[in-house]
Amino acid sequence: MKTVVVRNIDRADAEGVKRLGALGVSTVHEAYGRAGLMKPYMRPIWAGGEAAGSAVTVLAHPGDNWMIHVAVEQCRPGDVLVVGCSADNTDGMFGDLLATALKARGVLGLVIDAGCRDVKTLREMGFPVWSKAISAKGTVKAALGAVNVPVVCAGINVEPGDAVIADDDGVVVVRRKDVADVVAKGEKRQADEEGKRKLLASGALGLDMYNMREPLAKAGLVYLDRPEPD
Amino acid sequence: MKTVVVRNIDRADAEGVKRLGALGVSTVHEAYGRAGLMKPYMRPIWAGGEAAGSAVTVLAHPGDNWMIHVAVEQCRPGDVLVVGCSADNTDGMFGDLLATALKARGVLGLVIDAGCRDVKTLREMGFPVWSKAISAKGTVKAALGAVNVPVVCAGINVEPGDAVIADDDGVVVVRRKDVADVVAKGEKRQADEEGKRKLLASGALGLDMYNMREPLAKAGLVYLDRPEPD
Amino acid sequence: MKTVVVRNIDRADAEGVKRLGALGVSTVHEAYGRAGLMKPYMRPIWAGGEAAGSAVTVLAHPGDNWMIHVAVEQCRPGDVLVVGCSADNTDGMFGDLLATALKARGVLGLVIDAGCRDVKTLREMGFPVWSKAISAKGTVKAALGAVNVPVVCAGINVEPGDAVIADDDGVVVVRRKDVADVVAKGEKRQADEEGKRKLLASGALGLDMYNMREPLAKAGLVYLDRPEPD
Amino acid sequence: MKTVVVRNIDRADAEGVKRLGALGVSTVHEAYGRAGLMKPYMRPIWAGGEAAGSAVTVLAHPGDNWMIHVAVEQCRPGDVLVVGCSADNTDGMFGDLLATALKARGVLGLVIDAGCRDVKTLREMGFPVWSKAISAKGTVKAALGAVNVPVVCAGINVEPGDAVIADDDGVVVVRRKDVADVVAKGEKRQADEEGKRKLLASGALGLDMYNMREPLAKAGLVYLDRPEPD
Amino acid sequence: MKTVVVRNIDRADAEGVKRLGALGVSTVHEAYGRAGLMKPYMRPIWAGGEAAGSAVTVLAHPGDNWMIHVAVEQCRPGDVLVVGCSADNTDGMFGDLLATALKARGVLGLVIDAGCRDVKTLREMGFPVWSKAISAKGTVKAALGAVNVPVVCAGINVEPGDAVIADDDGVVVVRRKDVADVVAKGEKRQADEEGKRKLLASGALGLDMYNMREPLAKAGLVYLDRPEPD
Amino acid sequence: MKTVVVRNIDRADAEGVKRLGALGVSTVHEAYGRAGLMKPYMRPIWAGGEAAGSAVTVLAHPGDNWMIHVAVEQCRPGDVLVVGCSADNTDGMFGDLLATALKARGVLGLVIDAGCRDVKTLREMGFPVWSKAISAKGTVKAALGAVNVPVVCAGINVEPGDAVIADDDGVVVVRRKDVADVVAKGEKRQADEEGKRKLLASGALGLDMYNMREPLAKAGLVYLDRPEPD
């Protein structure tokens, strides 16, 4: 593992990231060909938090948050900090002091494949965090990791500068170069869904709207009027 | 596995189901002889949601929500949709479009042994869901399952038409033929508890109210004034 | 296992416990040399609950809450009930009736390495609980355990009379004899953090505040202007 | 829950069950339309154990093995004992004494959704067990359950008299009335696989054998000579 | 947390510990009133390993094995090293070099609430280990813990000098002062079981041997000749 | 997600990979700066299996093994197949027929972040597999994934052509360009360890060999002759 800090990274297009944020995680994930979604154990520490930004990445070690302190300096307004860990860990690597520092630099949120603490204060500050656990467990500052190198976080390989979108449904990551394409597909999908929503609300069936009856019959689905006797 | 859809099922008595709902999951479970409770990993996606209805059942496969689309048509007002899965899976099989379709048909809630997404919208819609996970993970429509056959959901075998009661404490299932009996026992239990609650609030001890002192002594419980020296 | 109930225990100093509660779990845990923290699976059943008291301990068996009934009588105002279990279990050992009884005796909260039910009522009562699970599963009253003996709860050995502090960040336990020392260290830490928070909010970097640059360089951290070519 | 023991059950056809055992779990599961498979956390306590028999079912409670003692009397040569539990539990409900009793009655193995102990002795006795855990944790004999009623075990609803097949791949359950059909389909499948195995061993590709190239192309699979530039 | 190493501890009686080892984990656990058993996630890294010794205890931090190196010096022939961890961790804190060092000092085995590596070599050396995980993950030597203080390991509070018995069924811990008593009860139990085993092998029923029929009837167990119609 | 198959990839140097295999997973992981190790839930399906090869990568979907069939054609002698999955899944995506096909092409083993079946036959064939689960659960062939694109498998981002080393300690991945460097460092480490092993076997202490006494004292470690009174 290279113990480096990369100072200059190419960030995702700010306007595009904002529009991905407006679409929300589920729509972005679908528009991205069902890719980029972190594992569902990543949960917001308070309901309703949302963030959409460009990733500054951190590789940390279990029980050690030294590299998060290092990463703060590399953050700019509009960034989301993404922390991967070299082994499974739930220690509370992040709390209100680090959040205060990140907020002062315009960082929009944190995504961490480990634990978080001071959740009450973070909720009061309105600083959103997606984490694997809530834990007060203190950490040391002993082992070097890296900042702004690719890291695996909750099953997704995140490159520095990737777009990171997070809300109540989870966290999705879009490659910088794919942002514009996903915005276009996602906004189209959203518009389509609006129409479908109205139809469904008025009692239309997905079976008809999506023309499923024929493929279902072809696949062998059988309708019975009554359960077969045992 | 039979890939069938059963159109006509006998539903639980609507009035009885409503009264079970008023009793709540914990009381119903006790009144049912401590049977019928789904595993505790089934959690409401928003606190305070409640549902009590007659089960329409779905057997789905991991990562595939085709059968949920099929099941919508079989639902009637007062139903609760119950989805079992042929293998452990947390993918987001259910979202706001399907909820819109179910709501249009009068369905009261969803119980799914897999993942759910669009949780913010579902909360805003007031559509309650109990699931194993929250996940934006998209699903395919490829494999046939079944609708209105018995399915195991979170450890409980659910028959079509069973009464399904769900609240913040979890999900409990009562056989259609047992509903009246459980209503009677549950309402009696609830009345009894009201009295106990008042006594306990005034400082009475369960040890005395439940006559536990004698059986405890008989079982060998010893009271010490002080810890024994180590 | 000794099946005993110890009637008289030495409790933690009430004023000290109160001040630990004001500091919160994360600060207490740090001030205690990063000791005493229960595993992070212990979560509050409703957000925002807080409790700080002297431990009355219970050793129970899976699916059996008899000893909790026994323990009620041993509780005094200012206590927190702490329940360990002889094997992993998520059954709903505690509900609103027991909470009513505890509240009547001035107990401030419950910490249980098992399940809890009636969560809606408990939230309405304002009775805080930290548990491993929420489950309506009923329990029997069949096996003797013990009250006011040392119990392991969520990875921590709790002695009767220990100070127990619980909030949204989890649960921490401080030995009775260490309370004054931890109060002193924790309040000093809290005062220090206030100053740090202001500095960080104004844009200062932890790297500078904590003099990390030199040890980082010494450990071999390298800054790159750009990612190295692959 | 009915606390009953059903004395007389219809057992699966012994010859059919034997032939299912010869096919093995994976083939039976496929021949049964991919149904009937218990969750993969059910593992043999020693590698290489195999059992195929007719289910005698037990519903037990966490930490309580009373009903297993009751069930022994109901077993006959060729049976497999299947134990479901009313809540998640890993206690050691079964050990060498119960195995000795079962062996004396001609029982072929145990499938238990809880823990097992005395694994060294059980291995030496050649008595195969599939369980959720290995644990020495002792159990009480306090709560009634049932024998020979339908029980959910590791996600599968097992009816008394169902065929139970278990080997290193896990445990599969076939309804009594479906045994002959599954035997026929499974033996055909096994014969087919023998031919395929020879072809594949000689270098043939499944892509060709199963005619997958066309559907893959239709679904949109693209072959690239080289990775696309990033 | 006190960062100390205690040099002199009182060890469990060597002859008594040996006899506990001969009884095995399940019998010792029962003879000890069903106390002292570590959680069942503690598994031997190779089947058939057995150890019975006096505990030298270590408190370590996640991803850090410094204290194990410190502990080696405090070990004597007949000891078993017991490592607790201040937070959940699966890193490979122990491998063949440390095992070589321990073996040279006559240590009989390792019990570690974290990960272990070099399992092939350890099996070849015949050095038994019970751990939470197998993992090659390397560790640092950065944070002080303690040696020969009480530590919680897999749910059990272990005092230095306690008797530790481990085999295929798991790990049980007996307080030093209780060893003689548990030996006596365990050997009596073992003798009793020998007789029971013979009776059961000859076809006797536990129902009769343990006089269960009357309490079962009293508790309300009903025998049916046939399943009740649904 | 791009649904592509990349035909030509650059493979890791065969001789280097072989030497990494001889070093074993733990040594390679250390020599690689403690990087590249998959999560410890990846376990060999039979003890003693070993594989070292160049990665052919597969991205599959839950419950769907179509892409594994596609990947076979892209394999060459000396390869190891590495399968990542777009969501957590334990279904039995791989069995003896696919192993026969891979073996015929000279593939050395399989690493799969999902389930595997036919374990008895695979053990008899001597075909090593590292998987997340053993499960007979059948899969469909419905959704396109990709072959020879980067995939995250058990927490590690694997590029096609990376060196994959697997044994009883787990699975480690080394970038193709780093193989020579890791071979050199690993063989040096191995030679060093040989000397250390002899010293330790003769009773030397790591405390002295690694000069730990001074840093421990500096960090504040205190030696006590006896436990402090409580």
Side-chain angles (χ1 to χ4, degrees):
Chain A
M1 197 183 45
K2 276 174 296 184
T3 53
V4 299
V5 179
V6 177
R7 281 205 182 93
N8 299 296
I9 59 170
D10 295 323
R11 282 169 165 82
D13 171 60
E15 173 61 20
V17 171
K18 219 170 170 176
R19 288 162 75 180
L20 291 180
L23 292 170
V25 169
S26 291
T27 299
V28 169
H29 163 66
E30 288 285 350
Y32 200 26
R34 292 182 189 157
L37 189 73
M38 289 191 185
K39 288 185 190 278
Y41 64 70
M42 294 299 283
R43 298 299 305 144
I45 61 165
W46 46 274
E50 294 180 351
S54 199
V56 166
T57 63
V58 179
L59 178 58
H61 297 287
D64 191 318
N65 74 348
W66 212 10
M67 284 303 111
I68 302 182
H69 286 276
V70 172
V72 173
E73 190 177 25
Q74 308 305 321
C75 291
R76 297 193 194 159
D79 285 345
V80 168
L81 200 64
V82 176
V83 182
C85 195
S86 65
D88 281 355
N89 184 248
T90 60
D91 294 356
M93 291 192 182
F94 186 89
D96 68 336
L97 286 185
L98 276 165
T100 302
L102 287 180
K103 218 179 166 181
R105 301 186 79 80
V107 174
L108 303 174
L110 171 79
V111 174
I112 182 166
D113 201 354
C116 172
R117 64 185 188 181
D118 302 329
V119 295
K120 191 185 169 188
T121 310
L122 293 170
R123 191 170 53 221
E124 287 164 0
M125 290 172 65
F127 190 86
V129 174
W130 289 257
S131 72
K132 186 180 177 173
I134 291 171
S135 169
K137 182 68 173 61
T139 48
V140 297
K141 287 145 191 52
L144 292 189
V147 175
N148 280 332
V149 301
V151 296
V152 173
C153 180
I156 295 297
N157 189 43
V158 186
E159 306 271 347
D162 280 353
V164 179
I165 316 301
D167 61 21
D168 283 352
D169 281 359
V171 185
V172 69
V173 178
V174 176
R175 288 277 170 274
R176 202 163 46 84
K177 68 177 173 57
D178 297 329
V179 167
D181 183 48
V182 178
V183 166
K185 286 181 181 152
E187 292 180 349
K188 187 176 175 323
R189 186 182 169 91
Q190 198 181 40
D192 289 354
E193 288 205 343
E194 206 35 58
K196 287 180 194 166
R197 193 170 288 111
K198 277 177 198 158
L199 279 169
L200 292 168
S202 71
L205 285 170
L207 281 177
D208 300 311
M209 273 169 56
Y210 307 122
N211 297 313
M212 287 174 172
R213 293 193 193 272
E214 198 189 309
L216 283 165
K218 222 170 167 175
L221 190 67
V222 175
Y223 283 78
L224 303 176
D225 272 348
R226 273 279 158 190
E228 286 181 322
D230 211 29
Chain B
M1 197 182 46
K2 275 174 295 182
T3 54
V4 299
V5 178
V6 177
R7 278 204 184 95
N8 299 296
I9 59 171
D10 296 322
R11 283 170 166 82
D13 170 61
E15 172 60 21
V17 171
K18 220 171 169 176
R19 287 163 74 179
L20 291 180
L23 292 171
V25 170
S26 291
T27 298
V28 169
H29 163 66
E30 288 285 352
Y32 200 25
R34 294 184 187 155
L37 189 73
M38 290 193 183
K39 289 185 190 274
Y41 64 71
M42 294 298 283
R43 298 299 307 143
I45 62 165
W46 48 272
E50 295 179 350
S54 199
V56 167
T57 63
V58 179
L59 177 59
H61 298 286
D64 192 316
N65 73 348
W66 213 10
M67 284 304 111
I68 302 182
H69 286 275
V70 172
V72 173
E73 190 178 23
Q74 308 306 322
C75 292
R76 296 195 194 157
D79 285 345
V80 168
L81 199 65
V82 176
V83 183
C85 195
S86 65
D88 282 355
N89 185 249
T90 61
D91 293 357
M93 292 193 181
F94 185 90
D96 68 336
L97 287 185
L98 277 165
T100 301
L102 288 180
K103 219 178 165 181
R105 298 186 82 79
V107 173
L108 303 175
L110 171 79
V111 173
I112 182 166
D113 201 354
C116 173
R117 64 187 189 181
D118 302 328
V119 294
K120 191 184 166 187
T121 309
L122 293 170
R123 192 170 50 219
E124 288 164 0
M125 291 172 65
F127 190 86
V129 175
W130 289 259
S131 72
K132 186 181 178 173
I134 291 170
S135 169
K137 183 66 175 57
T139 48
V140 296
K141 286 145 192 54
L144 292 189
V147 175
N148 279 333
V149 301
V151 296
V152 174
C153 180
I156 295 297
N157 189 44
V158 186
E159 306 271 348
D162 280 351
V164 179
I165 316 301
D167 61 22
D168 284 352
D169 281 359
V171 184
V172 69
V173 178
V174 176
R175 288 279 169 273
R176 203 164 46 85
K177 66 175 172 61
D178 298 329
V179 167
D181 182 49
V182 177
V183 166
K185 285 183 181 150
E187 292 181 346
K188 185 175 176 325
R189 186 181 171 91
Q190 198 180 40
D192 291 352
E193 288 206 342
E194 207 34 60
K196 287 181 196 166
R197 193 171 289 110
K198 276 177 198 157
L199 279 171
L200 291 168
S202 70
L205 286 169
L207 282 177
D208 299 313
M209 274 169 56
Y210 307 121
N211 296 314
M212 288 174 172
R213 294 195 193 271
E214 196 188 312
L216 283 165
K218 221 168 168 176
L221 190 66
V222 175
Y223 283 77
L224 302 177
D225 270 348
R226 275 279 159 189
E228 286 180 323
D230 211 27
Chain C
M1 198 181 45
K2 276 172 293 184
T3 54
V4 299
V5 179
V6 177
R7 280 204 184 96
N8 298 296
I9 59 170
D10 295 321
R11 283 168 165 83
D13 170 62
E15 171 62 20
V17 171
K18 219 171 172 177
R19 286 161 77 179
L20 291 180
L23 292 170
V25 170
S26 291
T27 299
V28 169
H29 163 65
E30 287 285 351
Y32 200 27
R34 293 182 187 159
L37 190 73
M38 289 192 184
K39 288 185 190 277
Y41 64 70
M42 294 299 284
R43 297 300 306 144
I45 61 164
W46 47 273
E50 294 178 351
S54 200
V56 166
T57 63
V58 179
L59 178 59
H61 297 288
D64 191 318
N65 73 350
W66 213 10
M67 284 303 112
I68 303 182
H69 287 276
V70 172
V72 173
E73 190 179 23
Q74 308 306 322
C75 291
R76 298 194 193 157
D79 285 345
V80 168
L81 200 64
V82 176
V83 183
C85 196
S86 65
D88 281 356
N89 184 249
T90 60
D91 294 356
M93 292 191 183
F94 185 90
D96 67 337
L97 287 186
L98 276 165
T100 301
L102 287 180
K103 220 179 163 179
R105 300 186 81 79
V107 174
L108 302 175
L110 171 78
V111 173
I112 182 165
D113 201 355
C116 173
R117 64 187 190 180
D118 301 328
V119 295
K120 192 185 167 188
T121 309
L122 292 172
R123 192 169 51 222
E124 288 165 0
M125 291 173 65
F127 190 84
V129 174
W130 289 258
S131 73
K132 185 181 178 173
I134 291 170
S135 170
K137 183 66 172 61
T139 47
V140 296
K141 286 145 193 53
L144 292 189
V147 175
N148 280 332
V149 301
V151 296
V152 173
C153 180
I156 295 297
N157 189 44
V158 186
E159 306 271 349
D162 280 351
V164 179
I165 317 300
D167 61 22
D168 283 353
D169 282 359
V171 185
V172 69
V173 178
V174 176
R175 288 277 170 274
R176 203 163 46 86
K177 68 176 172 58
D178 297 329
V179 167
D181 183 48
V182 177
V183 166
K185 286 183 182 150
E187 292 182 347
K188 186 176 175 325
R189 188 182 169 90
Q190 196 181 41
D192 290 353
E193 288 206 343
E194 207 35 60
K196 287 181 195 165
R197 193 170 289 111
K198 276 177 198 158
L199 279 170
L200 292 167
S202 71
L205 285 169
L207 281 178
D208 299 314
M209 273 169 57
Y210 308 120
N211 296 312
M212 287 174 173
R213 292 193 193 273
E214 198 189 311
L216 283 165
K218 222 167 167 178
L221 189 67
V222 175
Y223 283 79
L224 302 177
D225 272 347
R226 274 277 159 193
E228 286 180 323
D230 211 28
Chain D
M1 196 182 45
K2 275 173 296 185
T3 53
V4 299
V5 178
V6 177
R7 280 206 183 93
N8 298 297
I9 59 170
D10 295 322
R11 284 170 163 83
D13 170 62
E15 172 62 19
V17 172
K18 217 171 173 177
R19 286 162 75 180
L20 291 179
L23 291 170
V25 170
S26 290
T27 298
V28 169
H29 163 66
E30 288 286 351
Y32 199 27
R34 294 183 188 157
L37 190 72
M38 289 192 184
K39 289 186 190 277
Y41 65 69
M42 295 297 285
R43 298 300 306 145
I45 61 164
W46 47 273
E50 294 179 351
S54 201
V56 166
T57 63
V58 179
L59 177 59
H61 298 288
D64 192 317
N65 73 348
W66 211 11
M67 284 303 112
I68 303 181
H69 286 276
V70 171
V72 173
E73 190 178 25
Q74 308 306 323
C75 291
R76 296 195 194 156
D79 286 344
V80 168
L81 199 65
V82 176
V83 182
C85 194
S86 66
D88 282 354
N89 184 248
T90 60
D91 294 355
M93 292 192 184
F94 186 89
D96 68 337
L97 286 185
L98 276 165
T100 301
L102 288 180
K103 221 178 162 180
R105 300 185 82 78
V107 174
L108 303 174
L110 171 80
V111 173
I112 182 166
D113 200 354
C116 173
R117 63 187 190 181
D118 302 329
V119 295
K120 192 184 168 188
T121 309
L122 293 171
R123 192 170 51 222
E124 287 165 1
M125 289 172 67
F127 189 85
V129 174
W130 289 258
S131 73
K132 186 181 178 173
I134 291 170
S135 169
K137 183 67 174 58
T139 48
V140 296
K141 286 146 193 51
L144 291 190
V147 175
N148 280 333
V149 301
V151 295
V152 173
C153 180
I156 294 298
N157 189 44
V158 186
E159 306 271 348
D162 280 352
V164 179
I165 316 300
D167 61 21
D168 284 352
D169 282 358
V171 184
V172 69
V173 178
V174 177
R175 289 278 169 275
R176 202 163 47 85
K177 68 177 171 58
D178 297 329
V179 166
D181 182 49
V182 178
V183 166
K185 286 183 181 150
E187 292 181 347
K188 186 176 175 323
R189 187 182 168 91
Q190 196 180 43
D192 289 355
E193 287 206 343
E194 206 36 57
K196 287 180 195 166
R197 192 169 289 111
K198 274 176 199 159
L199 278 170
L200 291 167
S202 72
L205 285 168
L207 281 178
D208 300 312
M209 274 169 56
Y210 306 121
N211 297 313
M212 287 176 174
R213 294 193 193 272
E214 199 189 310
L216 283 165
K218 222 169 168 178
L221 191 66
V222 175
Y223 282 79
L224 303 176
D225 272 348
R226 275 277 158 191
E228 287 181 320
D230 211 28
Chain E
M1 197 183 45
K2 277 173 291 182
T3 53
V4 298
V5 178
V6 177
R7 278 204 183 95
N8 298 297
I9 59 171
D10 295 322
R11 284 169 164 82
D13 170 61
E15 172 61 19
V17 171
K18 220 172 171 176
R19 287 161 76 179
L20 291 180
L23 292 170
V25 169
S26 290
T27 298
V28 168
H29 164 66
E30 288 285 351
Y32 199 27
R34 292 183 188 157
L37 189 73
M38 289 192 184
K39 288 184 190 278
Y41 64 70
M42 295 298 285
R43 296 300 306 144
I45 62 165
W46 48 273
E50 295 179 348
S54 199
V56 167
T57 63
V58 179
L59 177 59
H61 297 287
D64 192 317
N65 74 348
W66 213 10
M67 283 305 110
I68 303 182
H69 286 276
V70 171
V72 173
E73 191 179 23
Q74 308 306 322
C75 292
R76 298 195 194 157
D79 285 344
V80 168
L81 200 64
V82 175
V83 183
C85 195
S86 64
D88 281 355
N89 184 250
T90 60
D91 294 356
M93 291 192 182
F94 186 89
D96 67 337
L97 287 185
L98 276 166
T100 302
L102 288 180
K103 219 179 165 181
R105 299 186 80 80
V107 174
L108 302 175
L110 172 79
V111 173
I112 182 165
D113 199 354
C116 172
R117 64 188 190 181
D118 302 328
V119 295
K120 192 184 167 188
T121 309
L122 292 171
R123 192 169 51 222
E124 288 165 0
M125 289 172 65
F127 189 86
V129 174
W130 288 258
S131 72
K132 185 181 178 174
I134 291 170
S135 169
K137 182 66 173 60
T139 48
V140 297
K141 286 145 191 56
L144 292 189
V147 175
N148 279 333
V149 300
V151 297
V152 173
C153 181
I156 295 298
N157 189 44
V158 186
E159 307 271 347
D162 280 352
V164 179
I165 316 300
D167 61 22
D168 283 353
D169 281 358
V171 184
V172 70
V173 178
V174 177
R175 290 277 171 274
R176 202 164 48 84
K177 67 178 171 58
D178 297 329
V179 167
D181 182 49
V182 177
V183 166
K185 286 182 181 152
E187 292 181 346
K188 184 173 177 328
R189 187 181 169 90
Q190 198 181 41
D192 289 353
E193 288 206 342
E194 208 35 60
K196 289 180 194 166
R197 193 170 289 110
K198 274 176 201 158
L199 279 170
L200 292 167
S202 71
L205 285 170
L207 281 177
D208 300 312
M209 272 170 57
Y210 307 121
N211 296 314
M212 287 175 174
R213 293 194 193 272
E214 197 189 310
L216 283 165
K218 221 169 168 176
L221 190 67
V222 174
Y223 283 78
L224 303 176
D225 271 349
R226 273 279 159 190
E228 288 181 321
D230 211 26
Chain F
M1 197 182 43
K2 277 173 294 183
T3 54
V4 299
V5 179
V6 177
R7 279 206 183 92
N8 298 296
I9 59 169
D10 296 322
R11 282 168 166 83
D13 170 61
E15 172 61 20
V17 171
K18 219 172 171 175
R19 287 162 75 178
L20 290 180
L23 291 171
V25 169
S26 290
T27 298
V28 168
H29 164 66
E30 288 284 352
Y32 199 26
R34 292 181 189 159
L37 189 74
M38 289 190 184
K39 288 186 192 276
Y41 64 70
M42 295 296 285
R43 298 300 305 145
I45 61 165
W46 47 273
E50 295 180 349
S54 199
V56 167
T57 64
V58 179
L59 178 58
H61 297 287
D64 191 318
N65 73 349
W66 213 10
M67 284 304 111
I68 303 181
H69 286 275
V70 172
V72 173
E73 190 178 23
Q74 308 306 322
C75 291
R76 296 192 195 159
D79 286 345
V80 168
L81 200 65
V82 176
V83 182
C85 195
S86 66
D88 282 354
N89 184 248
T90 60
D91 294 356
M93 292 193 181
F94 186 90
D96 69 336
L97 287 185
L98 276 165
T100 302
L102 288 180
K103 218 178 166 181
R105 300 186 81 79
V107 174
L108 303 175
L110 171 80
V111 173
I112 183 166
D113 200 354
C116 173
R117 65 187 189 180
D118 301 330
V119 295
K120 192 184 168 187
T121 310
L122 292 171
R123 192 170 49 220
E124 287 165 0
M125 289 172 66
F127 190 85
V129 175
W130 288 259
S131 72
K132 185 180 177 173
I134 292 170
S135 169
K137 182 69 173 58
T139 49
V140 297
K141 286 145 192 53
L144 291 189
V147 175
N148 280 332
V149 301
V151 296
V152 173
C153 180
I156 295 297
N157 189 44
V158 186
E159 307 271 348
D162 280 352
V164 179
I165 316 300
D167 62 21
D168 283 352
D169 281 358
V171 185
V172 68
V173 178
V174 177
R175 289 277 170 275
R176 200 165 46 84
K177 67 177 172 61
D178 296 329
V179 167
D181 183 48
V182 178
V183 166
K185 285 182 182 151
E187 292 181 346
K188 185 174 175 326
R189 185 181 170 92
Q190 197 181 42
D192 290 353
E193 286 205 344
E194 207 34 60
K196 287 179 196 167
R197 192 170 290 109
K198 276 177 198 157
L199 278 170
L200 291 168
S202 71
L205 285 169
L207 281 178
D208 300 312
M209 272 170 58
Y210 306 122
N211 296 312
M212 287 174 173
R213 294 195 192 270
E214 197 189 311
L216 283 165
K218 222 168 167 177
L221 190 66
V222 174
Y223 282 79
L224 303 176
D225 271 348
R226 274 280 160 188
E228 287 181 322
D230 211 27

